[in-house]
Amino acid sequence: MDFDEIIDRRGTGATKWDNMEAYGGVSPADGIPMWVADMDFRAADVLQDAVRDLLERANYGYFTGDDAMNEAVAWWMNERHGWAADPAHMSSTAGLGHAIALLLETYTDPGDEVIIFTPVYHEFTHKIELTGRVVHEAPLVIRDGIYHMDIDALEAGLTGRERMMLISSPHNPAGRIWTVGELRALAEFCDRHDLLLVADEIHHDLIFPGQHFTPFLNAAPEAAERCFVLTAASKTFNTAGARLGTVTIPNAEMRKRFRRALLEHQTQPNLLGVELTRAAYSPRGAAWVDDLVSYLDGNHRLFLDGIAQIPGLAAMPMQSTYLAWIDFAGTGMDMEEVLRRVHNEARLVPSVGAAFGTGGESFLRFNIAMPRARVAEAAERLKAAFADLQ
């Protein structure tokens, strides 16, 4: 795999490129999009082969479902993460955003509060609000340069209307990998307050060397009766367009309710998503991911080295993902001026941190899943845009 290959995605319908001007005011003609969590690499050969096989069949009709795919998911979770996930506990959704919305609608009522640790993936807030539930923010605190959950503060601020907790593990946008102790503390908290817990583990394959990810149910198996685990090949293999996610529900009664909800919504797995996921979760897919993570590690080191050369900017250490979380508070500038420089001078379009909730106001999130030459160019453009600080 040549991750250095420059692929022109302009005009191909790629959200990251073709909507960047609407989002950040920067033309794709000379801009670098670093906002949507989407990779600018060619698809893995194992996925291309799966699509060719599907084309050769020349039939896109009804198919037998997701059983074989779920077996592949279970193999992957055990082989890559040491989690003995049961394929009989899995259900397919039209992506994990759909899964979150359906979980909220199925197990909570309008007006119920849902706890999220902010700043966090903006779709958490979006889905909670769209379904008529109430966001209960638990702001993360920074100690030793990384985020920590403040359980004491969360406990002190409970209203009694909380029903569910939604966590990002590893954490998006900061790439923080929660420790076993932290995950167990969450499980104990949810048990004390009779809360359901949704663990979105979509980034769990993108772990940098020297780091270790622990699946929630390995850290706290006793929480299985109140836990939902969300996984997908989409972030690892860049297959988000196939709209296929997996929800693992160990609790038999809750699993029955969820599958009933899927039936009521007339939701079934799609053929392309199933075939791509099944192909991805294989030994060939594993070898590709190993190469990908090694490449992303090089990108993250390059980009954070560049950030370190700009006074006033502070990068949160990246333990996982391909999302760099950069704090501009030290520049002394308001975010309007920061964005003016990033957009108009550097011609970069990162995600605006305020969208990730309380604590994200002075941050921007930069997607570095692109050929290294573009990462280097982005770092140089930032240095030039903030040259007066150096």
Side-chain angles (χ1 to χ4, degrees):
M1 181 72 189
D2 181 10
F3 293 105
D4 286 322
E5 179 186 4
I6 300 290
I7 301 169
D8 188 355
R9 300 180 69 196
R10 294 172 298 181
T12 65
T15 299
K16 176 181 178 181
W17 284 89
D18 292 348
N19 285 0
M20 67 181 287
E21 190 160 14
Y23 176 77
V26 179
S27 169
D30 64 342
I32 301 177
M34 304 181 80
W35 58 306
V36 177
D38 176 303
M39 297 191 288
D40 282 337
F41 305 128
R42 191 173 299 282
D45 287 347
V46 65
L47 300 187
Q48 295 296 85
D49 289 346
V51 173
R52 290 189 190 97
D53 289 345
L54 188 58
L55 289 171
E56 286 298 316
R57 287 182 234 162
N59 193 303
Y60 310 110
Y62 294 115
F63 66 106
T64 53
D66 56 7
D67 287 350
M69 182 198 74
N70 289 341
E71 291 288 346
V73 173
W75 175 86
W76 184 269
M77 299 308 158
N78 189 56
E79 184 75 14
R80 303 290 289 187
H81 303 294
W83 172 32
D86 188 340
H89 295 171
M90 299 174 184
S91 298
S92 296
T93 59
L96 294 191
H98 171 237
I100 291 168
L102 195 55
L103 288 168
L104 288 164
E105 290 178 346
T106 304
Y107 303 102
T108 68
D109 295 317
D112 283 350
E113 295 186 18
V114 180
I115 297 168
I116 59 174
F117 292 91
T118 60
V120 73
Y121 178 46
H122 51 80
E123 278 298 316
F124 285 10
T125 293
H126 190 214
K127 293 296 187 289
I128 293 167
E129 293 178 342
L130 275 178
T131 56
R133 278 63 176 171
V134 177
V135 174
H136 184 128
E137 289 191 342
L140 297 166
V141 296
I142 299 175
R143 292 198 304 271
D144 301 322
I146 61 173
Y147 282 130
H148 295 267
M149 294 176 282
D150 190 341
I151 300 298
D152 291 339
L154 171 60
E155 198 139 29
L158 293 178
T159 66
R161 296 187 294 274
E162 297 83 5
R163 179 63 183 130
M164 180 180 284
M165 175 183 287
L166 179 54
I167 67 168
S168 177
S169 179
H171 181 258
N172 171 10
R176 171 78 154 83
I177 300 175
W178 307 116
T179 66
V180 170
E182 288 169 320
L183 295 174
R184 290 193 61 80
L186 289 182
E188 291 162 5
F189 178 90
C190 290
D191 184 60
R192 284 198 304 276
H193 299 284
D194 193 25
L195 300 175
L196 300 174
L197 188 141
V198 180
D200 180 351
E201 299 186 347
I202 195 169
H203 291 278
H204 61 182
D205 292 315
L206 305 175
I207 309 300
F208 291 135
Q211 305 293 336
H212 177 73
F213 167 79
T214 301
F216 183 82
L217 285 178
N218 278 7
E222 68 278 8
E225 291 303 296
R226 63 173 69 249
C227 181
F228 308 84
V229 179
L230 311 185
T231 59
S234 56
K235 208 58 63 183
T236 308
F237 290 90
N238 216 47
T239 57
R243 296 292 181 186
L244 199 292
T246 298
V247 182
T248 300
I249 310 175
N251 181 302
E253 182 56 35
M254 291 200 297
R255 187 166 65 249
K256 181 179 178 181
R257 286 181 63 189
F258 188 72
R259 288 177 176 171
R260 175 68 184 178
L262 286 169
L263 287 173
E264 289 174 354
H265 284 258
Q266 291 291 300
T267 302
Q268 297 177 345
N270 73 82
L271 176 61
L272 179 62
V274 165
E275 291 297 321
L276 287 176
T277 301
R278 184 180 177 186
Y281 287 157
S282 65
R284 285 182 66 197
W288 184 85
V289 172
D290 289 342
D291 290 343
L292 169 69
V293 170
S294 177
Y295 191 86
L296 292 176
D297 183 44
N299 278 6
H300 114 258
R301 293 176 186 278
L302 174 66
F303 191 69
L304 266 55
D305 284 348
I307 294 298
Q309 296 173 41
I310 307 173
L313 273 61
M316 190 120 356
M318 291 179 68
Q319 299 175 337
S320 65
T321 81
Y322 48 71
L323 305 169
W325 189 233
I326 311 300
D327 189 2
F328 287 76
T331 65
M333 303 174 187
D334 60 31
M335 287 307 288
E336 183 177 355
E337 172 60 15
V338 167
L339 284 170
R340 186 194 68 77
R341 293 182 181 220
V342 172
H343 288 160
N344 298 348
E345 297 182 25
R347 310 299 288 167
L348 306 178
V349 180
S351 295
V352 177
F356 296 81
T358 298
E361 296 85 355
S362 63
F363 286 82
L364 296 177
R365 190 192 74 173
F366 292 82
N367 174 355
I368 58 167
M370 58 184 67
R372 191 158 298 154
R374 280 197 175 135
V375 175
E377 173 68 16
E380 291 303 316
R381 291 187 185 191
L382 282 173
K383 290 179 194 177
F386 293 91
D388 56 323
L389 301 180
Q390 298 170 51

